[in-house]
Amino acid sequence: MRRKLVAGNWKMNGSLAALVELDAIAGAASRTPTVDVAMAVPATLIAPAVARALGLMVGAQDVHGAPSGPHTGCLSAAMVREAGARFTIVGHSERRADQGETDADVRAKAARGHEQGLSIILCVGETLAQREAGRAEAVVTAQLNGSLPEVFDGAWLSIAYEPVWAIGTGRVPSVGDVAAMHATIRATLATGIGQRASAVRILYGGSVTPNNAADLLMTDNVDGALVGGASLTAGSFMPIIAAAAAISEGRPAK
Ligand code: 13P
């Protein structure tokens, strides 16, 4: 049985003042022992967030694929670990698009993060053009095959399926399409590590809100959510944690 993971991603948002939202979210997380709650904050906020947000896993949004070196402006896995991060996102579509990150880059980032003891949330997802061309599952499978580390397991790796066209748009795939993609991802993981793939959490991300969280989190092979906009305030993130908890505890989620 996989524990659900509700992870937020503040992207390039937030400030010291905004950490009051994290205080409230951490409070909700510590009252919700059946669900794992995590927040990927901007790197400048990792240390202050760790200092005050007990009960919550604080993480980074990216790390470099090299352990150190001449990469001005970048942060290594060891650096974010030292700041207190316990996990990092790698391969977010915004970085694949804005920074031109390749699958090979993402694989290196995941490996460096794991070497430093970080859990990894590895993102994959197709564009709208790719989905409309009927290539969504082929694209995601290729991304996974290109970016999964050589050796991995569910103790530290989660996959986030984030269709690019669903991020920040209010558009969400049908639960049937989400279930189909998550089953494909599970099968792809199993070709690498067999039965142990059943322990890897597969999160859905892209316009998750308090309104649609329960339906998504009840879907087969959806082991959690990666939440952007709705993670910025406790008011919109706490109901998503609550929906995950209700499902985990066998209570009505809506
Ligand atoms: P939104 O929830 O704002 O669509 O963002 C999703 C996302 O990209 C999380 O990593």
Side-chain angles (χ1 to χ4, degrees):
M1 183 64 185
R2 295 177 293 269
R3 278 170 67 83
K4 291 214 187 294
L5 168 60
V6 178
N9 175 10
W10 275 10
K11 308 189 179 184
M12 199 171 71
N13 299 291
S15 60
L16 285 174
L19 292 182
V20 293
E21 299 295 333
L22 211 59
D23 294 342
I25 292 166
S30 54
R31 292 188 297 276
T32 316
T34 52
V35 173
D36 292 333
V37 180
M39 190 67 80
V41 296
T44 51
L45 295 180
I46 292 172
V50 169
R52 56 197 274 176
L54 304 173
L56 182 84
M57 260 193 302
V58 173
Q61 299 172 9
D62 178 56
V63 294
H64 200 277
S68 63
H71 305 291
T72 303
C74 298
L75 296 174
S76 70
M79 289 170 180
V80 301
R81 183 76 193 86
E82 187 174 54
R86 289 173 55 196
F87 76 98
T88 185
I89 297 172
V90 296
H92 193 283
S93 63
E94 288 155 9
R95 293 197 60 86
R96 290 178 186 261
D98 294 355
Q99 274 77 32
E101 290 183 1
T102 65
D103 289 339
D105 294 332
V106 176
R107 167 177 282 162
K109 289 164 184 277
R112 296 298 83 72
H114 176 52
E115 282 166 10
Q116 293 299 325
L118 299 172
S119 293
I120 304 294
I121 299 178
L122 192 160
C123 302
V124 292
E126 82 285 357
T127 64
L128 188 58
Q130 289 165 333
R131 175 156 288 270
E132 287 176 343
R135 295 180 47 231
E137 299 198 5
V139 165
V140 166
T141 301
Q143 283 178 337
L144 275 177
N145 287 330
S147 53
L148 279 170
E150 300 289 325
V151 179
F152 62 90
D153 68 61
W156 57 272
L157 180 76
S158 303
I159 305 298
Y161 168 53
E162 298 206 305
V164 175
W165 50 274
I167 294 175
T169 59
R171 292 185 63 186
V172 176
S174 68
V175 290
D177 283 347
V178 172
M181 185 63 85
H182 282 227
T184 297
I185 293 170
R186 180 84 58 209
T188 305
L189 296 172
T191 60
I193 58 170
Q195 285 267 318
R196 286 183 300 129
S198 64
V200 178
R201 291 189 282 200
I202 306 174
L203 317 181
Y204 169 79
S207 296
V208 176
T209 66
N211 289 335
N212 60 23
D215 285 334
L216 289 162
L217 290 166
M218 279 187 291
T219 301
D220 275 356
N221 278 310
V222 177
D223 307 310
L226 183 55
V227 184
S231 74
L232 293 173
T233 64
S236 50
F237 197 54
M238 290 190 330
I240 300 172
I241 299 171
I247 293 163
S248 302
E249 294 160 21
R251 293 183 281 108
K254 49 179 193 171

